[in-house]
Amino acid sequence: MPPGHARRRVLAVLAGACLAGCSTDSTTPTDTGTPSPTDTGTPTPSPGVVPPSRTFSPTAVAADGHALTAERWFALDAVRYETDDGHATVEPFGDRFVGYEFRLANRGDERRQALPDSVFRLRVAGETHDHVHALRGEVAFRRADQPADEPTIRPLRWYEGLAPGEAVRLQLVFDVPAHPAVRHYLAWHHRTAVEGSAEPAYLYP
């Protein structure tokens, strides 16, 4: 697409602190708390197509002690990135890139190995989406160079495990159709029961 393309409008920002690409901050104690909501003026979305008994906000806890908290999601219709000649922008295959930021804690009494990133997906408008490893399949997250007023896509990385009482903040990026009036869920397909059921759990901030 033309390097001079300037359409980088943020389409949606929901609930929480500005973290941000399969990325991680350093581990923290589990009592660090949840970021306070940010009022963006976005209307309350409709619930979408998920079982009401399997929706949780903002936290769900698994039988093995993992606790997942949905903190915030944001959407961009394009992302600016660095090139050899300066900057260009990349647009998604779908309508927008969605970044979902969440916190994973170990509330158990044993160290837990890292969960595979594939157990976390985006559920919106009755469809489930896997996260992407590059923007439009070709631009690495580390090349993103966004304006200061946009949520940040961070370099792709993952965590190595959690000791008892530790937590980590993560982000996954998705390339999806736009459904601004429908709630965006972080779907957790965990290997052990979550909140008393082996069915996926659907979380939102």
Side-chain angles (χ1 to χ4, degrees), residues 15 34 37 52-61 68-71 100 183-186 195 201-205:
T34 301
S53 62
R54 299 302 298 155
T55 62
F56 306 93
S57 178
T59 301
V61 181
L68 178 65
T69 299
E71 294 190 330
Y100 220 118
R183 182 175 292 152
H184 289 48
Y185 294 95
L186 182 64
E195 299 293 348
Y202 300 94
L203 292 87
Y204 63 97

Side-chain angles (χ1 to χ4, degrees), residues 18-42:
C18 185
L19 310 166
C22 206
S23 99
T24 174
D25 290 346
S26 57
T27 54
T28 58
T30 57
D31 60 355
T32 54
T34 301
S36 58
T38 299
D39 182 6
T40 63
T42 304

Side-chain angles (χ1 to χ4, degrees), residues 116-131:
D117 55 6
S118 59
V119 305
F120 303 107
R121 300 171 183 169
L122 180 67
R123 178 77 173 184
V124 57
E127 299 291 334
T128 301
H129 303 271
D130 294 327
H131 74 93

Side-chain angles (χ1 to χ4, degrees), residues 8-169:
R8 299 184 299 272
R9 179 170 50 92
V10 178
L11 299 181
V13 178
L14 297 184
C18 185
L19 310 166
C22 206
S23 99
T24 174
D25 290 346
S26 57
T27 54
T28 58
T30 57
D31 60 355
T32 54
T34 301
S36 58
T38 299
D39 182 6
T40 63
T42 304
T44 302
S46 63
V49 186
V50 295
S53 62
R54 299 302 298 155
T55 62
F56 306 93
S57 178
T59 301
V61 181
D64 64 0
H66 280 105
L68 178 65
T69 299
E71 294 190 330
R72 184 183 77 145
W73 65 268
F74 63 84
L76 300 166
D77 63 357
V79 173
R80 188 179 72 180
Y81 67 97
E82 293 181 335
T83 69
D84 292 339
D85 300 321
H87 291 91
T89 57
V90 58
E91 293 185 346
F93 288 114
D95 298 312
R96 56 188 185 172
F97 297 114
V98 170
Y100 220 118
E101 297 166 354
F102 55 99
R103 184 172 181 268
L104 188 65
N106 181 3
R107 295 186 181 178
D109 54 9
E110 298 180 1
R111 181 175 178 82
R112 297 295 178 187
Q113 294 182 345
L115 299 179
D117 55 6
S118 59
V119 305
F120 303 107
R121 300 171 183 169
L122 180 67
R123 178 77 173 184
V124 57
E127 299 291 334
T128 301
H129 303 271
D130 294 327
H131 74 93
V132 298
H133 292 83
L135 301 173
R136 203 176 173 85
E138 58 188 23
V139 178
F141 294 150
R142 60 179 170 77
R143 296 175 63 192
D145 185 23
Q146 300 158 258
D149 60 349
E150 285 188 2
T152 303
I153 293 177
R154 295 186 178 179
L156 184 68
R157 60 187 185 273
W158 202 239
Y159 74 109
E160 296 182 355
L162 293 172
E166 283 189 329
V168 64
R169 285 191 167 102

